[in-house]
Amino acid sequence: MKGLSKLLCGIDLGGTKINTGIANNKGEIISNIIIDTKAEEGQDAVIDRMIKSVYTVLERAGLKIEDLAGIGIGVPGLIDSWEGLVIEAANLPGWNNVPIVDIFSKEFDINIRLENDANAAAIGEYLFGSGKGIENFIYLTVSTGIGGGAIIDGKLYSGSNSNASEIGHSVIDFNGPKCNCGNYGCFETFASGTALARFAQNRMDAGEATLISELAGNGKVKAEHVFEAGEKGDKVALELIDKEAFYIGIGLVNILAFYNPERIAIGGGVSSQWDILKDRVNKVIEERALKPNAKVCGVVKATLGKNVGLLGAAGLVMEHK
Amino acid sequence: MKGLSKLLCGIDLGGTKINTGIANNKGEIISNIIIDTKAEEGQDAVIDRMIKSVYTVLERAGLKIEDLAGIGIGVPGLIDSWEGLVIEAANLPGWNNVPIVDIFSKEFDINIRLENDANAAAIGEYLFGSGKGIENFIYLTVSTGIGGGAIIDGKLYSGSNSNASEIGHSVIDFNGPKCNCGNYGCFETFASGTALARFAQNRMDAGEATLISELAGNGKVKAEHVFEAGEKGDKVALELIDKEAFYIGIGLVNILAFYNPERIAIGGGVSSQWDILKDRVNKVIEERALKPNAKVCGVVKATLGKNVGLLGAAGLVMEHK
């Protein structure tokens, strides 16, 4: 496996923060720095800041660029991993076919790799977290949106143009609500944190009494408010949580039918509520999934937490290809 | 690639017929025989007949068992390809964890492989038909049921226990009708030939005048009747065909989201109507699929026709693993 003796650099580029760090091949972070993205300053400024962050973490760890196997970059958007392009990214306005791998390659004479954040996270969890040693492994992130990544026969499967496992945009009800992507009834329109907050708002708008209103106060309802109200026994919140678990369950039923994986790990914001959701979700799988596919697969909570983006990006340059 | 210089034997085991044959590595059938399955006689008798059919095709072609790279078997049911078991098969009553690979291995001292029929068909189309040279390729069969098979990075992906790409049992409307599998709103409950006939029957039961009634006569309505009536301009039939294309389109949208393939080939009975469905299906993809995933992928008609099962089974022993 190439680069096993060298260290791994990962950059988790987000819409508000950039997390750059160096890890060893056990997934232990040796040095990292979190800086503001300042996306409004435009792509050149952001890329400049990313490059500087690499030098900063190297310096802090007393390392040279030669100590690295490469630099992996995870981006929350549409990318072309073969061409090394960021095609577009919702939280990075103005980014349009940015040849980020070329730009980095001019600065650093090492292996540079690019993936979308969910695919990178799948690699991270596979190499260092909840998917260790599991050759057919799916990572599903349920947050404001829903994304996924598939490890197939021990390798990231990114598809013909890096857009495989866009699980959030698979249809679970073709009569469902309109999705940001233009389609209707995508998994993400039912099961994302955004969808949960929307369903809660609908109940409040209908005049139902619920603790969620109090918790949200004058601000926007968030998924967290629903779970908090649910913990306190609020009836509306508990109904919404049941629905949320049902929708996640249906998405998992589809993952089982398509990928027949050995393990699925749930990450993203909603995963922090996994203890509440787990039994409800497993009941849906038991009732609805193909039996042999369900039997062979465990659904677990992802383990890398807030560093999944960094470790996933770093893991991109540990792969044996 | 192992066995390239040797010939391939394939057995397409169906509920009513068994098609056994020998092919070369170009997918040309040298010799084959189609016999009745006589499933009612039980598994031992059926397996005996399968074994005899291998000897028959060898004899007819003037070949010996040593001339074969192996024997591949395709079965329309739930199988375990690692253990070589037929777990169950709807059209083969009484088959329950049948160790068919072991039984064949005792008779023939060559490589024996087992797959479900849709996975085998995917290999067949990839090696010899509509998926030639396409490393990320999906085969979808739309017939009385719906099945699928995925070629990923040039290899059949069969999943953790040979049940990957059970695309017919992915949910496209969680409020939909009950499926044979126990779930609700599976792709197959909307888009299979059986579903199309059911929708037609519903329209007739509601008292609508349609040519479909005449074509069906006193018999059961079949998908073919709908297409035939549609060709003659029957309004109800044309509406049903539009719906059928819509449902197939939604299934393809999900295949694009999960697998991001370069090509999808449609096989099975409904594929004979592909000329009528094609434009309608592509319109659904254009309107609903993720743009980058749709852009990179062509949907075509499978090309191996009635021999896809035989050639797929034969192709199993041509794989380089």
Side-chain angles (χ1 to χ4, degrees):
Chain A
M1 217 187 247
K2 198 175 100 188
L4 261 190
S5 57
K6 289 198 170 189
L7 295 165
L8 316 165
C9 180
I11 306 177
D12 176 17
L13 172 60
T16 54
K17 301 277 177 192
I18 299 166
N19 187 2
T20 299
I22 294 169
N24 62 22
N25 61 40
K26 290 177 185 158
E28 292 158 346
I29 295 170
I30 290 165
S31 160
N32 81 306
I33 182 174
I34 297 173
I35 57 174
D36 291 333
T37 305
K38 297 183 186 165
E40 69 283 1
E41 292 182 4
Q43 65 189 60
D44 291 348
V46 173
I47 292 171
D48 201 45
R49 213 169 286 122
M50 289 167 75
I51 288 171
K52 283 203 183 102
S53 73
V54 173
Y55 286 117
T56 306
V57 290
L58 281 171
E59 201 188 322
R60 286 191 185 176
L63 295 166
K64 286 172 302 194
I65 193 77
E66 294 79 29
D67 298 318
L68 300 178
I71 301 172
I73 307 170
V75 176
L78 216 53
I79 61 120
D80 183 326
S81 63
W82 302 110
E83 300 289 334
L85 297 177
V86 179
I87 298 172
E88 59 172 60
N91 296 319
L92 299 169
W95 287 53
N96 184 11
N97 290 314
V98 179
I100 197 164
V101 169
D102 271 0
I103 298 170
F104 266 75
S105 294
K106 275 180 195 142
E107 182 72 28
F108 303 107
D109 189 22
I110 51 174
N111 182 24
I112 311 289
R113 280 202 55 198
L114 174 72
E115 264 301 343
N116 82 51
D117 54 350
N119 280 349
I123 275 286
E125 290 285 339
Y126 168 65
L127 292 174
F128 310 124
S130 57
K132 236 174 174 171
I134 306 295
E135 300 286 283
N136 297 320
F137 168 73
I138 306 297
Y139 173 78
L140 184 75
T141 171
V142 183
S143 197
T144 50
I146 292 183
I151 305 297
I152 285 185
D153 291 338
K155 270 172 60 185
L156 176 67
Y157 176 63
S158 56
S160 295
N161 60 349
S162 347
N163 292 298
S165 307
E166 281 285 357
I167 301 171
H169 297 291
S170 63
V171 175
I172 62 168
D173 174 8
F174 53 74
N175 291 313
K178 187 158 190 177
C179 181
N180 291 331
C181 75
N183 196 359
Y184 295 82
C186 293
F187 180 29
E188 142 168 337
T189 66
F190 287 99
S192 67
T194 314
L196 178 56
R198 189 185 78 235
F199 289 128
Q201 187 64 54
N202 290 348
R203 301 287 291 259
M204 286 157 55
D205 291 349
E208 291 193 63
T210 163
L211 205 58
I212 302 166
S213 314
E214 277 174 48
L215 293 169
N218 294 322
K220 232 181 152 185
V221 179
K222 290 181 181 170
E224 299 93 282
H225 300 139
V226 180
F227 286 104
E228 204 182 326
E231 261 173 56
K232 290 176 179 159
D234 181 78
K235 196 177 140 279
V236 171
L238 286 171
E239 283 172 24
L240 290 166
I241 290 167
D242 272 343
K243 282 268 185 188
E244 171 70 16
F246 173 75
Y247 298 136
I248 292 178
I250 295 292
L252 294 174
V253 163
N254 282 1
I255 292 172
L256 291 172
F258 271 93
Y259 286 130
N260 184 206
E262 216 180 314
R263 189 174 294 167
I264 302 170
I266 313 281
V270 167
S271 71
S272 61
Q273 309 295 342
W274 186 240
D275 288 344
I276 302 168
L277 293 166
K278 193 172 59 178
D279 290 349
R280 293 171 161 92
V281 169
N282 279 327
K283 193 166 157 273
V284 179
I285 292 175
E286 206 183 302
E287 289 171 359
R288 297 217 173 202
L290 289 172
K291 297 281 170 291
N293 300 45
K295 198 184 71 182
V296 81
C297 183
V299 182
V300 303
K301 187 173 153 176
T303 52
L304 297 182
K306 64 180 174 41
N307 282 320
V308 67
L310 167 53
L311 288 171
L316 291 171
V317 291
M318 187 169 138
E319 279 192 290
H320 46 293
K321 57 176 181 180
Chain B
M1 217 186 244
K2 199 173 99 186
L4 263 190
S5 55
K6 290 197 169 189
L7 295 165
L8 316 164
C9 179
I11 306 177
D12 176 17
L13 171 60
T16 52
K17 300 279 177 189
I18 298 166
N19 187 1
T20 300
I22 294 169
N24 63 19
N25 60 39
K26 290 178 187 158
E28 293 158 346
I29 295 170
I30 291 166
S31 160
N32 81 306
I33 181 174
I34 297 173
I35 57 174
D36 290 333
T37 306
K38 298 183 186 165
E40 69 283 1
E41 293 183 2
Q43 65 189 60
D44 292 347
V46 173
I47 292 171
D48 202 46
R49 212 168 290 122
M50 289 166 75
I51 288 172
K52 283 204 186 104
S53 73
V54 173
Y55 287 117
T56 306
V57 289
L58 280 171
E59 202 188 319
R60 286 192 186 177
L63 295 167
K64 286 171 302 194
I65 192 77
E66 294 79 29
D67 297 319
L68 300 178
I71 301 170
I73 307 169
V75 176
L78 216 52
I79 61 121
D80 183 327
S81 63
W82 303 109
E83 301 288 335
L85 298 176
V86 179
I87 298 173
E88 58 172 60
N91 296 321
L92 299 169
W95 287 53
N96 184 13
N97 290 315
V98 179
I100 196 163
V101 169
D102 271 1
I103 298 171
F104 266 76
S105 294
K106 276 178 196 141
E107 183 73 27
F108 303 106
D109 189 23
I110 51 173
N111 182 23
I112 311 288
R113 280 204 56 199
L114 174 70
E115 264 302 341
N116 81 51
D117 54 350
N119 280 349
I123 275 287
E125 289 286 339
Y126 169 65
L127 291 174
F128 311 124
S130 58
K132 235 174 175 170
I134 306 294
E135 300 286 283
N136 297 319
F137 168 73
I138 307 296
Y139 173 78
L140 184 75
T141 169
V142 183
S143 196
T144 51
I146 292 183
I151 304 297
I152 285 187
D153 291 337
K155 272 172 58 186
L156 175 68
Y157 175 64
S158 57
S160 294
N161 60 350
S162 349
N163 293 297
S165 308
E166 281 286 358
I167 300 170
H169 297 291
S170 63
V171 176
I172 63 168
D173 174 8
F174 53 76
N175 291 314
K178 187 157 191 178
C179 181
N180 290 334
C181 76
N183 196 358
Y184 295 81
C186 293
F187 180 30
E188 132 168 348
T189 66
F190 287 99
S192 67
T194 315
L196 178 56
R198 191 185 76 237
F199 289 128
Q201 187 63 55
N202 291 349
R203 300 287 290 260
M204 285 157 54
D205 291 349
E208 291 192 63
T210 161
L211 206 56
I212 303 168
S213 316
E214 277 174 49
L215 293 169
N218 293 323
K220 232 180 151 183
V221 178
K222 290 181 181 169
E224 298 92 282
H225 301 138
V226 180
F227 286 104
E228 203 182 327
E231 260 173 59
K232 290 176 178 159
D234 181 78
K235 198 177 138 278
V236 170
L238 287 170
E239 282 172 26
L240 289 166
I241 290 167
D242 272 342
K243 282 268 184 188
E244 172 70 16
F246 173 76
Y247 299 135
I248 292 178
I250 295 292
L252 294 174
V253 163
N254 283 1
I255 292 173
L256 292 172
F258 271 92
Y259 287 131
N260 184 204
E262 215 178 315
R263 188 173 296 168
I264 301 170
I266 313 280
V270 167
S271 71
S272 61
Q273 309 295 341
W274 186 239
D275 287 345
I276 301 167
L277 293 165
K278 191 171 61 178
D279 290 349
R280 293 169 161 93
V281 169
N282 280 326
K283 194 166 158 273
V284 180
I285 292 175
E286 205 183 304
E287 288 170 0
R288 298 218 172 200
L290 289 172
K291 297 281 171 290
N293 299 44
K295 198 184 68 181
V296 81
C297 183
V299 182
V300 303
K301 186 173 155 175
T303 52
L304 298 183
K306 64 179 176 40
N307 281 319
V308 67
L310 167 53
L311 287 171
L316 291 170
V317 291
M318 186 169 138
E319 278 192 289
H320 47 292
K321 58 176 184 184

